[in-house]
Amino acid sequence: MWPVWRFILRRLAKTQGFLDPMVVFSNLQHFSKPSEVWVPSELLRSGAVLQARGLINSQAIQNNLDWVWPFWVERQFNPNDKAFIPRAFSLTHINLTHRNWTAVGLPGFGDFPIVDPCGLVTPFFDGWSIDAWIVHQKSIFAPSRLAHVEQKLDLKDTFAVLTESKSEKVTLSSRVEVKAEVEPVCVINIHAQSAQKAWLLVCIRPYNPEGVSFVKDIGILGEGGGWKVNNKDIVYLDKKPSHYIFANYNSGDLCQNSMIESEEQGQRSIFCQIGMASSAAVYPLDANNPKEISVRIPLSKTETSTHEPWMEHMQDTCILKIPDERFEYLYHASIKTMILHSPNDVYPGPFTYKHFWFRDAAYILQAMLAVGLFKNMEKIIDRFPSRQKSNGYFMSQDGEWDSNGQAIWAMKRFIDTTHQKVKKEWLKSIYQGAQWIEHKRSSSKKDALHAGLLPAGFSAEHFGPSDFYYWDDFWAVVGLRDAALTARGNDGNQANVFQNQANQLLNAIESSIATTQDRLHHRGIPAAATRRMDAGAIGCLVASYPLQIFSDKDERILQTVRFLMDKYFLQGAFYHEISHSGINIYLTLHIAQVLLRAGDMKFFDIVKSVAELATPTGQWPEAIHPRTKGGCMGDGQHVWACAEWVMMLRNMFVREEQSERTLILCSGIPQEWIKTHETFFLGPTHTLYGPISVTIKVSEKHIDVSWEAKWHGKPPRIEIRLPGHETFIVTTDSTSLKLNRQEVLV
């Protein structure tokens, strides 16, 4: 049938004057190494959805710029703004400059309302939004049009976004959170005040932070306050407005409605065939009449939601006390972000990336383990076998050969960190996953550079076209090693088979790298054997962090880091020119982790740069626009980035060196903290050998380092590596060390 469809496609394209799609497709494939999968179908699908939205945006926005639009549109379409992008021949208009939002929700509950940087609230996934404006005569005070809006998180027993907009005569603020009632409810508490007579408008808007989201009909709820939107979604207002106004695409936006200052109620509903219906509840304001309006949107249609209180998840998590309020704030926000995004699966984002990938999950679960977020983790990993194909492939996207190593590594870390016996289902799944790796290797191309490696694959999208990526092979080595360790107590012969395969694969990698380095006359490691040194080399750092395949001072890894820092660092962080085209936080922190492991205190300058790039709500988008500092790719709240922030601060206090069964304490504590004469604390953090808490007390003359642990069995070797002091190896059962401040090394 395919030849028939190919003929039809070619004929249709030719008759309409388009390029032959088969020729285009064939030419595109030439940029990739031959592989089973050119591009994962899921990536094509998500890209098509994004571009379809962009096509709708192009029709709805640019000829209606007198409407009030979301924050990103008001800037990206403004020729006087640094976020401006000329549209010219671009058929699709996509948010490429301010992909920023913060999700709110409840632990264990899978719905995530999102709030944009100016307080626009999108209660339902990819749905319409709620906004608030103040109108005085013909002047409109809309936060999305303001030069400055303040926003922050309230983390005390909740996860709420607070937004405030001000002018000389007007204040408009909101608090957004999800509360557990009979069913979870998104609650928006709006406060508005004006020094002169004005009107508060609480609005239903047909868009969200990605662009247009269709609203066809809106009707008033009975005699009370609120609406029914699209004949299904309910919005309650705790105070009845003076009146409602309505608009559709043909009549223009609400801000142009002549009925705003009239208290007479005309129509009670509106229909828009195009899907751009809007409505506002109007409340009078004056100096003696501020308004407090509560908006409630029920999120769940069932009474069996599994939402749980925040305190249940937070009570046993790892505490951090350091003399840097910004770092602490980002740490606590990151922990709650990970809790929020791991209801039954673990998601790297609430909107664009509300999907499961083994790659993101491995890194996020590592951080969750380290800080004791065990509550949902076991049931997440319990689902790994169901994601495994009959041939043993752990599939989140086809053509990505890193996933088997990541799945096995995550399972093994959970087993070791929680000190649990491996479940039968997990053991079977690990065996099958390791066997898939060996089968995949044996089917690989057998030329000099790639002999024994995995075949070409798409791997992570930030490396480029399909190729023989060392990243995949490094993950496969650890997958085989961890499978061998897991099998050791169950099947010694199988353990030996897996370990031998791991050794063979590592030897093949080493041989390929040596040949490649000779060709390049460079001692770093490129992304793949036939590539030059480029930004994709960032993937090879996985051999140091987190996998520790190579030693802490492996020169190949350090040369790669030097190359990346010399060529791709921008504003103190890693600018990734492939795909992301922005500053990437989790990749930046991978570089910092490698430097920390090597004992290079330059890592801390990178950590400070990352903190400066965080949003006011303690979040990072996947990639950050170098000029606007807004998100330019992926999800506007990236959970993998939060996980890496947590791991960075944890490893500054406590980190493992697995090959030596050693814990390294205090190796990332900077001198600027020591100068504060304060007490720092981290704990309990969960390691492969058991939980440990570390306290550092700084006085005028001494630095006291102490620790308290509950080991699973035999205690690990412990080294104290406080920067500026000699390394101290703990050889007794002591749990403290007193250092002289005068003994600081230069």
Side-chain angles (χ1 to χ4, degrees):
M1 285 295 293
W2 173 237
V4 175
W5 280 111
R6 185 166 59 182
F7 173 78
I8 292 171
L9 283 171
R10 300 181 89 157
R11 290 282 296 176
L12 283 172
K14 186 176 181 179
T15 58
Q16 298 299 317
F18 290 105
L19 293 174
D20 185 335
M22 296 302 107
V23 173
V24 173
F25 187 76
S26 175
N27 288 335
L28 283 174
Q29 286 183 305
H30 292 161
F31 290 96
S32 305
K33 294 291 186 293
S35 63
E36 298 172 30
V37 178
W38 174 57
V39 176
S41 59
E42 183 176 301
L43 197 64
L44 288 174
R45 191 181 306 116
S46 62
V49 170
L50 195 67
Q51 293 298 330
R53 166 70 61 73
L55 189 60
I56 293 167
N57 290 343
S58 71
Q59 298 301 303
I61 297 173
Q62 63 182 340
N63 57 320
N64 292 293
L65 289 174
D66 54 348
W67 284 43
V68 176
W69 291 101
F71 165 71
W72 73 272
V73 174
E74 296 288 350
R75 283 150 180 77
Q76 192 168 302
F77 284 69
N78 180 354
N80 296 312
D81 197 289
K82 58 188 174 184
F84 175 69
I85 296 178
R87 295 174 289 283
F89 292 109
S90 175
L91 293 176
T92 63
H93 300 164
I94 297 169
N95 182 357
L96 296 174
T97 58
H98 290 286
R99 300 183 65 81
N100 300 85
W101 43 81
T102 306
V104 294
L106 295 170
F109 184 61
D111 289 354
F112 308 132
I114 60 173
V115 187
D116 92 340
C118 290
L120 180 78
V121 182
T122 306
F124 300 101
F125 180 78
D126 199 17
W128 49 268
S129 300
I130 293 179
D131 205 359
W133 315 328
I134 294 176
V135 175
H136 169 64
Q137 295 179 352
K138 293 185 178 181
S139 172
I140 181 166
F141 181 87
S144 65
R145 290 180 169 178
L146 301 181
H148 179 69
V149 174
E150 292 186 359
Q151 197 170 64
K152 62 181 180 180
L153 277 182
D154 179 0
L155 293 169
K156 188 177 181 181
D157 300 332
T158 187
F159 196 83
V161 176
L162 284 62
T163 310
E164 185 174 61
S165 310
K166 285 184 178 181
S167 70
E168 286 186 11
K169 297 182 178 181
V170 170
T171 298
L172 181 61
S173 62
S174 67
R175 176 189 177 91
V176 185
E177 61 188 314
V178 175
K179 293 186 175 181
E181 298 181 0
V182 174
E183 54 192 10
V185 176
C186 178
V187 179
I188 310 167
N189 290 320
I190 299 169
H191 171 80
Q193 60 185 57
S194 173
Q196 55 194 358
K197 185 176 180 181
W199 302 89
L200 167 66
L201 274 62
V202 179
C203 313
I204 303 291
R205 306 298 287 158
Y207 50 61
N208 59 44
E210 289 277 29
V212 171
S213 181
F214 294 126
V215 175
K216 289 207 166 183
D217 54 78
I218 308 173
I220 299 172
L221 287 178
E223 295 300 319
W227 301 272
K228 191 171 189 178
V229 183
N230 283 333
N231 267 326
K232 60 185 179 70
D233 303 323
I234 303 298
V235 180
Y236 296 106
L237 301 169
D238 71 331
K239 294 181 178 64
K240 188 175 180 180
S242 67
H243 63 291
Y244 295 86
I245 59 173
F246 296 86
N248 61 21
Y249 186 76
N250 291 327
S251 65
D253 200 13
L254 291 171
C255 60
Q256 302 150 9
N257 195 306
S258 61
M259 298 295 290
I260 290 176
E261 298 186 14
S262 168
E263 297 194 29
E264 294 183 9
Q265 184 60 57
Q267 64 190 109
R268 300 183 60 83
S269 64
I270 196 162
F271 176 80
C272 180
Q273 182 64 45
I274 295 173
M276 296 294 289
S278 189
S279 179
V282 184
Y283 298 87
L285 290 174
D286 58 51
N288 300 313
N289 187 25
K291 278 291 183 291
E292 299 277 353
I293 308 296
S294 182
V295 185
R296 295 172 59 257
I297 308 103
L299 298 176
S300 176
K301 305 303 180 186
T302 70
E303 297 184 6
T304 58
S305 303
T306 58
H307 54 274
E308 297 157 343
W310 278 105
M311 283 300 296
E312 284 189 18
H313 287 260
M314 292 297 296
Q315 60 189 0
D316 296 322
T317 56
C318 181
I319 296 169
L320 175 71
K321 296 291 183 185
I322 53 176
D324 191 313
E325 291 183 4
R326 175 71 169 165
F327 279 28
E328 269 193 37
Y329 170 70
L330 295 174
Y331 176 83
H332 295 135
S334 293
I335 285 181
K336 283 203 166 182
T337 297
M338 291 192 297
I339 293 172
L340 183 63
H341 290 83
S342 54
N344 292 303
D345 268 328
V346 58
Y347 304 120
F351 189 12
T352 312
Y353 290 161
K354 192 182 178 187
H355 184 85
F356 177 88
W357 286 278
F358 282 107
R359 180 184 310 118
D360 303 68
Y363 282 97
I364 297 168
L365 291 172
Q366 174 194 215
M368 293 177 70
L369 271 171
V371 296
L373 296 178
F374 299 151
K375 192 168 182 65
N376 290 331
M377 289 186 64
E378 189 166 355
K379 61 184 178 184
I380 290 170
I381 297 177
D382 275 339
R383 297 180 66 166
F384 280 18
S386 67
R387 300 182 184 279
Q388 192 173 28
K389 297 179 75 173
S390 59
N391 65 356
Y393 177 40
F394 286 99
M395 180 177 170
S396 45
Q397 285 188 168
D398 201 10
E400 297 184 338
W401 312 141
D402 52 349
S403 57
N404 273 48
Q406 289 152 357
I408 296 170
W409 181 75
M411 295 166 86
K412 184 66 167 64
R413 285 192 76 85
F414 183 87
I415 293 164
D416 291 345
T417 303
T418 59
H419 200 48
Q420 292 187 14
K421 284 188 65 176
V422 61
K423 297 181 180 181
K424 289 182 180 179
E425 297 83 0
W426 293 16
L427 185 63
K428 179 182 177 183
S429 184
I430 288 170
Y431 280 10
Q432 291 176 338
Q435 288 160 355
W436 177 89
I437 293 172
E438 179 54 24
H439 173 75
K440 206 69 181 174
R441 283 182 62 225
S442 66
S443 65
S444 181
K445 187 177 179 181
K446 298 293 184 182
D447 60 41
L449 277 177
H450 305 117
L453 304 182
L454 288 168
F458 187 72
S459 196
E461 85 285 340
H462 59 269
F463 297 151
S466 293
D467 211 328
F468 296 85
Y469 289 113
Y470 289 132
W471 158 277
D472 294 339
D473 298 308
F474 286 132
W475 276 110
V477 167
V478 166
L480 290 168
R481 282 184 179 177
D482 282 347
L485 290 170
T486 307
R488 191 69 65 195
N490 299 280
D491 186 339
N493 290 332
Q494 185 65 73
N496 291 334
V497 169
F498 289 150
Q499 186 59 57
N500 288 335
Q501 291 170 358
N503 295 341
Q504 291 169 18
L505 177 53
L506 183 55
N507 289 337
I509 296 170
E510 299 264 17
S511 175
S512 178
I513 289 173
T515 303
T516 300
Q517 288 177 330
D518 290 341
R519 175 179 64 83
L520 295 175
H521 304 291
H522 195 288
R523 307 321 295 169
I525 310 174
T530 56
R531 287 268 285 269
R532 298 181 298 278
M533 291 295 292
D534 58 31
I538 189 80
C540 296
L541 301 188
V542 73
S544 178
Y545 171 82
L547 302 184
Q548 298 187 6
I549 295 169
F550 294 160
S551 68
D552 56 353
K553 291 184 173 64
D554 185 279
E555 191 57 27
R556 296 164 297 183
I557 293 292
L558 296 181
Q559 286 284 0
T560 306
V561 166
R562 292 181 194 116
F563 167 79
L564 294 169
M565 293 182 70
D566 287 344
K567 189 170 175 62
Y568 297 107
F569 257 47
L570 186 65
Q571 300 169 23
F574 176 68
Y575 169 79
H576 196 26
E577 64 185 11
I578 301 172
S579 181
H580 292 184
S581 60
I583 296 170
N584 183 282
I585 294 302
Y586 56 83
L587 296 177
T588 297
L589 288 173
H590 290 181
I591 292 174
Q593 290 278 16
V594 172
L595 292 175
L596 170 64
R597 188 170 178 238
D600 188 337
M601 287 303 290
K602 291 189 187 74
F603 90 89
F604 192 64
D605 291 333
I606 298 174
V607 173
K608 289 190 287 187
S609 296
V610 167
E612 290 172 2
L613 289 165
T615 69
T617 57
Q619 308 296 324
W620 297 271
E622 181 172 33
I624 297 172
H625 193 296
R627 292 197 306 275
T628 70
K629 301 301 186 293
C632 61
M633 187 224 172
D635 217 307
Q637 180 181 18
H638 207 263
V639 186
W640 184 354
C642 289
E644 293 299 348
W645 179 259
V646 168
M647 285 304 298
M648 190 76 250
L649 293 180
R650 181 263 197 178
N651 284 354
M652 288 165 64
F653 278 83
V654 180
R655 61 183 181 83
E656 296 109 329
E657 277 294 333
Q658 289 178 248
S659 63
E660 301 169 359
R661 203 174 182 275
T662 298
L663 284 184
I664 311 295
L665 307 187
C666 308
S667 65
I669 305 301
Q671 285 294 318
E672 59 193 71
W673 290 2
I674 299 295
K675 294 175 183 177
T676 62
H677 296 188
E678 294 185 25
T679 298
F680 327 140
F681 176 81
L682 178 94
T685 180
H686 295 262
T687 74
L688 298 172
Y689 320 115
I692 184 173
S693 298
V694 178
T695 303
I696 305 170
K697 292 183 179 179
V698 182
S699 63
E700 191 68 35
K701 294 183 178 181
H702 298 102
I703 303 172
D704 293 316
V705 180
S706 60
W707 56 95
E708 184 178 335
K710 296 180 181 178
W711 307 123
H712 296 326
K714 180 184 176 182
R717 184 172 181 264
I718 293 179
E719 292 185 10
I720 314 297
R721 294 189 189 175
L722 188 66
H725 293 76
E726 292 183 356
T727 297
F728 185 87
I729 300 172
V730 178
T731 56
T732 66
D733 293 332
S734 64
T735 57
S736 64
L737 174 68
K738 185 184 290 289
L739 298 171
N740 242 325
R741 293 195 66 192
Q742 285 78 6
E743 294 175 356
V744 174
L745 299 174
V746 178

